[in-house]
Amino acid sequence: MSDDIKHGVSRGPSGSGADENGIDIASLSFEQALTELESIVRKLEQGTIELDQAVGAYERGVALKRHCEAKLAEARMKVERISLGPDGSVGTAPFDAT
């Protein structure tokens, strides 16, 4: 089994994670990737695609999920919270989810 299949990465003809239309996952925004992922899930749930296509769709879905997670993590790292200092000054501090 190839590393791509073990890790759920769908590789298009160019080997870049592109779909049949040549769209590379890395070039997608979070919203575009999420929309495509939702579409794949619907198709898989409906069972309207052939097995080979379902396997490919599942692999691309896994790669899209990872892309979305990475985009969310990236956004989280950029978020800062506004803090009020003891002297009343306003500043920013890194986001802390705790």
Side-chain angles (χ1 to χ4, degrees):
M1 179 181 291
S2 78
D3 285 340
D4 291 343
I5 293 173
K6 282 192 282 189
H7 297 292
V9 177
S10 176
R11 301 289 182 189
S14 65
S16 64
D19 69 2
E20 64 276 357
N21 298 321
I23 300 171
D24 188 8
I25 290 173
S27 69
L28 298 176
S29 69
F30 173 81
E31 292 79 6
Q32 291 168 321
L34 186 58
T35 298
E36 185 178 343
L37 180 56
E38 289 169 341
S39 173
I40 288 171
V41 169
R42 274 193 304 279
K43 289 177 186 174
L44 291 173
E45 287 177 343
Q46 292 169 353
T48 58
I49 56 178
E50 295 181 17
L51 180 60
D52 289 344
Q53 292 173 326
V55 171
Y58 176 82
E59 291 173 346
R60 183 157 174 91
V62 169
L64 287 163
K65 177 184 172 280
R66 288 185 181 153
H67 179 72
C68 287
E69 289 172 340
K71 289 284 191 182
L72 286 173
E74 181 183 319
R76 184 172 184 258
M77 299 273 295
K78 291 179 181 177
V79 172
E80 295 181 327
R81 64 180 173 88
I82 298 173
S83 63
L84 189 59
D87 61 353
S89 63
V90 177
T92 59
F95 176 78
D96 184 10
T98 58

